[in-house]
Amino acid sequence: MDGKVSYEHSTIDLDGEILCLPLDEAFFLYGSLVESQISTLLQEEKNPYSLYTLSQAKTPLFFHIEEGKKVSLQIVYVQTTKNALSPCFMQWYLGKNTVANISTSCLVLDPSFEGMQLQTALVSLEEKAELHWIDERKDLRQKRSESTFRALLKKEAKVYKSSFSESQAFFSEEACIKLSGEKAHAEVSSLLLAEKEDKKSMKILMEHI
């Protein structure tokens, strides 16, 4: 809510299937796992909005899904103030043979809202993990949205990433997916509905490493 996690309105534990921690706590529990992704982001990231999101997010989060789990999670960004710049940074780890369905959306409560929503997601998938990720931006009052999605896939891991923007005057998304294992697979799709003066873009990079 306004860039902070609202635990009182969340059911995040899902009976322990998803571990959700503030990023600073995750550094102590999963040091090398967290550090390697952050280090790569700092070295390779050229998008200033993504770096800003990492440095300025009020509650950066780390999500850990245990091996073999199947989970579904909806993340809603709630805006309650007129002027807001709400950066959200998430780091995800999917264990072997996990299946995750993740969706993100926005809810604007102030009719005079003139803010901007920023999202950066770092995702690491172990062998045979599968991720379905959907970003929806449909609120007429949210004028601008910047989204960055970074994923690293190991052997036989799969990512299906899609996005939908209906109303924003400015919508920009970057998806960078690295396939590091044999038979790793990724699909990215985007549907951007624009008026005459709208500016919308989608950049996709897939790399075999």
Side-chain angles (χ1 to χ4, degrees):
M1 186 171 291
D2 297 324
K4 295 182 179 180
V5 178
S6 178
Y7 291 104
E8 63 271 23
H9 296 104
S10 301
T11 56
I12 196 67
D13 61 358
L14 297 177
D15 297 325
E17 293 180 349
I18 297 180
L19 175 64
C20 175
L21 294 171
L23 193 60
D24 55 352
E25 293 184 21
F27 270 109
F28 291 100
L29 291 177
Y30 302 98
S32 59
L33 180 63
V34 177
E35 292 171 8
S36 61
Q37 282 189 292
I38 298 295
S39 177
T40 300
L41 177 69
L42 294 174
Q43 292 175 22
E44 300 180 358
E45 186 59 71
K46 297 181 181 180
N47 186 331
Y49 288 108
S50 180
L51 295 174
Y52 179 88
T53 302
L54 172 60
S55 63
Q56 298 298 318
K58 296 178 181 178
T59 315
L61 295 174
F62 176 81
F63 296 86
H64 188 285
I65 304 178
E66 295 290 344
E67 179 177 341
K69 298 293 185 179
K70 295 182 179 180
V71 300
S72 296
L73 180 65
Q74 181 181 22
I75 299 171
V76 181
Y77 305 116
V78 181
Q79 305 282 2
T80 64
T81 58
K82 178 180 178 180
N83 296 297
L85 180 63
S86 299
C88 175
F89 179 88
M90 299 177 287
Q91 185 172 354
W92 290 79
Y93 172 83
L94 279 67
K96 293 181 180 180
N97 298 299
T98 59
V99 178
N101 295 280
I102 311 298
S103 66
T104 74
S105 60
C106 292
L107 176 62
V108 177
L109 301 182
D110 190 326
S112 60
F113 177 74
E114 298 176 352
M116 175 178 176
Q117 195 266 326
L118 304 174
Q119 172 184 290
T120 295
L122 289 183
V123 186
S124 177
L125 292 88
E126 293 292 339
E127 293 182 11
K128 297 183 179 181
E130 183 173 320
L131 172 64
H132 299 258
W133 185 289
I134 302 175
D135 289 317
E136 292 185 320
R137 302 293 180 266
K138 297 188 292 185
D139 198 302
L140 289 167
R141 291 160 293 187
Q142 188 190 47
K143 301 301 182 183
R144 185 179 181 113
S145 178
E146 295 269 359
S147 178
T148 306
F149 181 85
R150 303 281 186 260
L152 176 64
L153 285 67
K154 294 188 177 180
K155 182 178 179 181
E156 297 186 53
K158 299 178 181 179
V159 164
Y160 301 92
K161 168 73 173 69
S162 61
S163 58
F164 174 74
S165 171
E166 181 179 12
S167 316
Q168 288 73 35
F170 186 97
F171 176 89
S172 177
E173 181 172 18
E174 292 186 10
C176 177
I177 300 176
K178 296 185 177 183
L179 310 174
S180 67
E182 182 181 352
K183 296 183 180 181
H185 176 82
E187 296 180 16
V188 179
S189 62
S190 183
L191 176 60
L192 310 179
L193 304 181
E195 300 292 340
K196 184 176 180 180
E197 302 298 325
D198 292 351
K199 296 181 180 179
K200 302 194 176 188
S201 65
M202 177 71 186
K203 298 178 181 179
I204 303 171
L205 174 64
M206 292 194 189
E207 181 181 3
H208 291 268
I209 59 175

